[in-house]
Amino acid sequence: MRKIIIIAAAISLFVSSAFAHLSPAAAGRLGIQRSQDFRLEKVNGNVYTLFGRGGNIGVSYGSDGLMTIDTQFANIVPQLKAELKKLGSDKPKFVFNTHYHGDHTGGNELFGADGIIIAHYNVRKRLLSTVNSRTGQPQSAAPAAALPMITYREGLSLFFNGEQVKAVHFKKGHTDGDTVIFFTGSNVVHLGDDFFVGRFPYVDLTSGGNVEGLVRNIGAMLQMIPADAKLIPGHGPVSTIEDLKDYHSMLIETTLIVRKHMKNGKTLEEIKKAGLPDKYKEAGSGFINQESWLETIFKSYSQGMKPKA
């Protein structure tokens, strides 16, 4: 028995060492769940960010209990709940969805068993769809427990843990169901996937997303968000209004480059070949690379919209 225990311990040590160098993304692709990838970070007031495998989860915890913004993936809910339990509860009374993508709603069914899910009307509609909007292939509709029970068209307010939590819908940006959450007392804003820190964004054109709309929406957010607010992006670290301004400038500048090429009759392949200035190299090192972003801009402006002079 002693020999078996020693061998098992040696195997465990080898496995841990072998995969210690992997990034969270690489570990995720291999199906390896590492405890250090799941962590809570205090943002301000009653608000925390929960980092894991999908879109950043916003967390409010206080005298009224627990609320989360998004739910990541179903298969990692135990790890997410283990982190939430450190605050005092792993059962949210309310769950907001910033949009419908699976890395933000995949855990809905499990979290929804304990609380009420709230989202824009289009989130519920897309979760109920039996056709995949990106591939056109059949898919199963989300189960009832994963669906938003409360929906809205423009927004709503929830008074929770001593502050007004405002959900504001922004049309045709990342998708057609985007919501930004304002924690008015804690001075924290969760922007969902409208904000990818320092990286080109993913604009889901097949789900009502639109590049021009995203640029316009970020501009509107900059007018609404307090200068000293802390920002939770859909992906990336907790940020500031200056980071959002840089992101907005990048969206405007890269979009103008593509629009100019289009006005001059350039094809998509010619635009890709011309590329973007070197200062955007780092922005293309994430989920969306430079070619993908150029193609997204081109297709967005080709879908019934003509570039303006």
Side-chain angles (χ1 to χ4, degrees):
M1 177 64 71
R2 176 179 170 80
K3 185 176 181 181
I4 292 173
I5 293 173
I6 292 173
I7 292 172
I11 292 172
S12 176
L13 179 62
F14 169 76
V15 172
S16 298
S17 301
F19 294 110
H21 67 286
L22 291 175
S23 67
R29 286 194 294 272
L30 292 173
I32 302 165
Q33 307 297 341
R34 305 189 310 184
S35 60
Q36 63 265 37
D37 297 336
F38 299 87
R39 62 181 176 86
L40 273 169
E41 179 180 314
K42 179 70 176 285
V43 181
N44 201 41
N46 297 317
V47 180
Y48 300 76
T49 303
L50 176 52
F51 297 99
R53 292 287 182 210
N56 294 334
I57 294 178
V59 178
S60 173
Y61 185 75
S63 59
D64 291 329
L66 178 70
M67 175 172 66
T68 70
I69 313 301
D70 292 335
T71 61
Q72 295 197 4
F73 297 107
N75 68 326
I76 57 170
V77 167
Q79 289 94 325
L80 297 174
K81 281 182 170 285
E83 289 298 308
L84 293 171
K85 192 68 174 177
K86 295 176 183 178
L87 292 175
S89 173
D90 61 358
K91 294 177 170 56
K93 290 185 177 180
F94 297 99
V95 174
F96 275 98
N97 289 147
T98 59
H99 60 290
Y100 89 99
H101 286 151
D103 62 322
H104 296 258
T105 62
N108 273 16
E109 183 176 9
L110 297 174
F111 278 111
D114 299 312
I116 295 172
I117 302 173
I118 308 171
H120 187 266
Y121 173 82
N122 287 340
V123 173
R124 180 180 173 90
K125 182 179 73 174
R126 291 194 178 279
L127 289 174
L128 279 170
S129 178
T130 56
V131 178
N132 187 297
S133 62
R134 280 170 280 186
T135 66
Q137 297 299 309
Q139 65 178 15
S140 298
L147 298 173
M149 184 180 295
I150 298 174
T151 64
Y152 48 86
R153 296 287 186 174
E154 300 297 330
L156 57 74
S157 287
L158 182 68
F159 292 85
F160 194 75
N161 288 332
E163 65 181 323
Q164 182 184 15
V165 182
K166 294 173 60 178
V168 180
H169 171 54
F170 286 86
K171 301 176 181 178
K172 297 183 178 179
H174 173 62
T175 68
D176 61 5
D178 300 342
T179 290
V180 171
I181 307 291
F182 293 78
F183 295 93
T184 59
S186 297
N187 200 23
V188 176
V189 185
H190 193 310
L191 288 84
D193 277 5
D194 283 331
F195 187 21
F196 281 59
V197 181
R199 299 290 185 268
F200 295 137
Y202 171 50
V203 178
D204 190 349
L205 303 180
T206 63
S207 300
N210 181 280
V211 171
E212 185 174 56
L214 179 62
V215 175
R216 181 177 59 251
N217 291 347
I218 298 298
M221 291 174 206
L222 286 169
Q223 298 300 312
M224 298 171 64
I225 297 172
D228 59 346
K230 294 188 177 181
L231 311 183
I232 302 174
H235 297 270
V238 174
S239 304
T240 67
I241 198 75
E242 295 304 318
D243 297 317
L244 188 62
K245 287 178 180 178
D246 290 342
Y247 174 75
H248 191 226
S249 294
M250 179 270 290
L251 295 179
I252 292 172
E253 291 173 15
T254 55
T255 299
L256 286 174
I257 289 170
V258 175
R259 289 171 64 184
K260 184 176 179 180
H261 283 313
M262 293 176 71
K263 183 179 179 182
N264 292 332
K266 299 289 185 180
T267 65
L268 175 57
E269 290 308 311
E270 289 172 330
I271 293 172
K272 287 182 178 180
K273 186 174 181 180
L276 293 169
D278 288 343
K279 67 178 181 177
Y280 296 118
K281 183 177 181 180
E282 184 67 18
S285 63
F287 171 57
I288 299 297
N289 61 26
Q290 182 179 136
E291 284 202 352
S292 295
W293 178 231
L294 290 171
E295 183 169 345
T296 298
I297 298 171
F298 183 90
K299 287 183 176 179
S300 187
Y301 277 92
S302 298
Q303 290 180 352
M305 300 193 314
K306 294 182 179 180
K308 299 174 184 177

